[in-house]
Amino acid sequence: MNLQCRIELAAKYKAGSQIARVLSEDWCTRELYCPACDSDHLTGSKPNNPAVDFACATCEQPYQLKSLSHWNPRKVVDAGYEAMLRAIRADMTPNLLILQYSSSWLVRNLLLIPKMFFSESVIEKRKPLAPHARRAGWVGCNILLSEIPSDGKIAVISDGVPVLKEQVREEFSRVKQLAEVPPSLRGWTLDVLRAIRRLEKPEFSLQELYGFESEMKSLHPQNQNVRPKIRQQLQVLRDVGLVSFVSPGSYRLRT
Ligand SMILES: [Zn+2]
C-alpha cells in the first residue's frame, strides 16, 4: 500500500478543504480495498446518495470518507443532526472511513467505523448556527468516537503503518452480523456492548453489567425496565456471535 497522496492533483484547486477531498478520494480509489469482502477496489459513487463516496462493486457496501489533518480520537464533526437521526432509524448510514493525512500528504491514520455502530447514543447535537450565519439555525452533529465500542473502530492504517488486509477483513466480519439486529433495537445492543468493553476483561457477570443501570436509564429515559433489557441484549450479542454464555449470570467476550 502506497501511503502518498498525489500532490499534483492539488494544482487545480485553491480551497484547503477541496484539496483534501480530491487528494484523499483519489488515494482511496487507488489504494483502498473493500474491508467487507475480498474485492481489492472501491469505486467512486455519488449520484444517488450524497452521503456515499465509494461503494464496493462486488458486495455493494457503501462508504463515506472524512479527511482531516488533525486527529481527535474522541469525536468527529458530521453533517446535519436531524438527517443523521433519520439515517440511523432507517438503517441508511454508510460505513465511515476517517482518514488523517500529514503535512506532506501521507496517509497517517485510517479508521473504519462499520455502519452498524451508528446509534443515537453516539450522536451529539451541536449548537444551532448563529443568526448571522448563511444557514442560520441549522443544527449539525458530532459523532462521538469515544462512545463507540472498540469492536466498531477498525484500524486500517495506524500511525503510518497499514494493518494487514486479512486482519481488517476479519475484524469487519466479526461484527457484520450486528446488521441483522433491527436499528430500533441495535442502539441498546451497542450500549450493552460498550458497557462490556468498559469492564476491560474477557469474562464478566450480569451483576457487573447492572452497575451501568443508571447510566443506561439516562440514555433511554423512556425505558423503565433496564435490567431485563440488559439480559435481552446479552442474548442478542450471543446470537450475533460476540458473547458466549459460560454459566448462569456469567459471560465471555468472543474474539
Ligand atoms: Zn465488498
Side-chain angles (χ1 to χ4, degrees), residues 4 22 40 44 74 78 96 99 110 123 154-155 169 224 248:
Q4 179 67 57
V22 169
D40 285 334
R74 289 190 55 253
D78 200 59
L96 180 63
L99 183 153
L110 182 61
I123 304 303
I154 300 176
R169 285 177 172 158
Q224 295 307 307

Side-chain angles (χ1 to χ4, degrees), residues 40-248:
D40 285 334
H41 298 284
L42 293 178
T43 38
S45 149
K46 289 205 190 264
N48 302 325
N49 186 345
V52 175
D53 297 308
F54 305 101
C56 171
T58 307
C59 72
E60 298 181 343
Q61 285 280 343
Y63 296 90
Q64 185 185 67
L65 175 68
K66 278 189 191 299
S67 310
L68 320 150
S69 57
H70 295 287
W71 186 248
N72 183 347
R74 289 190 55 253
K75 66 169 80 172
V76 60
V77 174
D78 200 59
Y81 176 71
E82 290 298 334
M84 186 58 164
L85 291 191
R86 275 199 304 276
I88 287 172
R89 288 168 191 160
D91 214 7
M92 294 287 283
T93 53
N95 301 292
L96 180 63
L97 291 160
I98 307 173
L99 183 153
Q100 185 209 15
Y101 51 84
S102 71
S103 53
S104 52
W105 293 103
L106 279 162
V107 180
R108 178 123 197 95
N109 285 293
L110 182 61
L111 187 71
L112 165 66
I113 316 279
K115 57 185 185 173
M116 303 77 81
F117 285 86
F118 293 102
S119 70
E120 294 182 38
S121 301
V122 307
I123 304 303
E124 180 180 60
K125 192 175 187 174
R126 302 179 71 200
K127 281 191 190 140
L129 292 185
H132 54 76
R134 193 165 54 85
R135 287 192 291 167
W138 182 84
V139 179
C141 71
N142 293 318
I143 298 169
L144 299 174
L145 301 175
S146 54
E147 303 299 306
I148 295 177
S150 54
D151 313 78
K153 289 183 274 197
I154 300 176
V156 181
I157 294 166
S158 178
D159 277 334
V161 181
V163 176
L164 280 178
K165 183 159 59 175
E166 294 71 27
Q167 186 183 330
V168 170
R169 285 177 172 158
E170 207 171 289
E171 287 185 39
F172 191 96
S173 165
R174 186 176 159 269
V175 296
K176 74 175 177 208
Q177 281 194 72
L178 276 171
E180 292 163 20
V181 183
S184 57
L185 197 65
R186 203 187 301 140
W188 268 103
T189 316
L190 295 171
D191 290 339
V192 172
L193 180 59
R194 186 167 61 93
I196 294 170
R197 283 294 183 186
R198 281 165 66 194
L199 293 171
E200 292 186 341
K201 47 191 192 174
E203 289 205 16
F204 56 93
S205 69
L206 190 55
Q207 283 309 317
E208 287 173 306
L209 281 184
Y210 285 165
F212 295 95
E213 187 178 2
S214 58
E215 198 176 313
M216 291 201 191
K217 218 173 236 169
S218 63
L219 282 173
H220 303 270
Q222 72 287 10
N223 196 308
Q224 295 307 307
N225 300 308
V226 171
R227 288 188 175 208
K229 204 74 189 172
I230 291 174
R231 294 197 298 274
Q232 177 202 48
Q233 293 310 309
L234 281 164
Q235 289 174 14
V236 172
L237 287 167
R238 178 194 58 192
D239 294 345
V240 298
L242 292 174
V243 161
S244 47
F245 285 25
V246 180
S247 58

